[in-house]
Amino acid sequence: MHPFLLEENMVFVFWGHVVAAGGILLGILLLVLAINRIQPDPPAKALALVSTLAEVAARPHGPRTLRAWFRYQCQLNFQAGLTPASLEKAGEPGSHRLVEITQALQQAGHQAVLVALLGDALYFIDLWAAHLLLAQARPSEPIRAQCLAVIRAYAAYPQLAALAREQQAWLAQQGEEVVANSTVRSA
């Protein structure tokens, strides 16, 4: 073979690699731009599309949607350091959003959604659900006992002393039995 033909083929191979690498870089750039356009708070954006939470609750998949929003708001509250019994942060918008979602579920007759959340301890979802069921609804005695059991469990949790003290104070304020064998130390 002629050496000149090999050199020409190498030029074509080189430019082929350059074009392929450019395509990959362009794809990565487009992916980064697409990720940056994602909204940080999709439930809030979706919530703005409907006039009221009651309207959402009345839809066929409304209870499931409100449950997801409740869980998401609990996550935001957890990250902001909000707890249901913290008196100094009671006027926070995160607390009010959970109250609104709870009221919408109650008005639509979907109290069972909140009762089901009593078993979800991630981001204090069960604690928020227990407090809101007791404050906003008139739960039956078995559900009330389940709510108080969740609150008492947090009141006896020594790893989160501040949260445990808040729950103990809330129980005492409500006239409920405070956990006697608590290993939580006062600060």
Side-chain angles (χ1 to χ4, degrees):
M1 290 200 89
H2 195 277
F4 183 70
L5 291 176
L6 288 176
E7 193 173 296
E8 271 185 30
N9 287 340
M10 290 301 288
V11 169
F12 287 122
V13 169
F14 170 75
W15 283 111
H17 289 314
V18 168
V19 169
I24 291 172
L25 289 176
L26 181 63
I28 291 172
L29 177 66
L30 291 174
L31 179 64
V32 168
L33 290 175
I35 289 173
N36 286 337
R37 291 187 55 104
I38 295 175
Q39 296 294 327
D41 192 5
K45 184 177 180 183
L47 187 59
L49 297 177
V50 294
S51 59
T52 64
L53 286 170
E55 185 178 317
V56 174
R59 293 180 179 181
H61 298 292
R64 186 172 23 186
T65 303
L66 289 177
R67 181 183 66 215
W69 284 345
F70 188 95
R71 295 181 83 230
Y72 181 72
Q73 188 60 53
C74 286
Q75 178 182 357
L76 293 177
N77 288 357
F78 178 83
Q79 292 167 348
L82 295 175
T83 59
S86 59
L87 301 176
E88 68 274 1
K89 297 181 181 178
E92 290 288 328
S95 301
H96 291 297
R97 283 190 202 105
L98 285 176
V99 169
E100 290 171 356
I101 293 170
T102 302
Q103 289 172 345
L105 286 167
Q106 291 292 325
Q107 291 169 358
H110 299 300
Q111 183 176 344
V113 171
L114 290 170
V115 173
L117 290 171
L118 289 173
D120 191 352
L122 187 65
Y123 301 119
F124 303 142
I125 293 170
D126 55 348
L127 186 61
W128 280 101
H131 276 278
L132 289 169
L133 274 167
L134 292 173
Q136 301 293 321
R138 295 184 182 190
S140 64
E141 193 54 40
I143 294 173
R144 185 176 185 284
Q146 191 177 359
C147 292
L148 289 172
V150 167
I151 295 170
R152 285 188 181 110
Y154 279 97
Y157 196 64
Q159 286 81 5
L160 299 171
L163 179 67
R165 283 191 298 278
E166 286 177 0
Q167 301 313 308
Q168 290 171 357
W170 185 88
L171 286 167
Q173 183 183 29
Q174 302 299 317
E176 295 294 333
E177 178 185 339
V178 180
V179 180
N181 294 336
S182 177
T183 57
V184 178
R185 295 182 211 115
S186 297

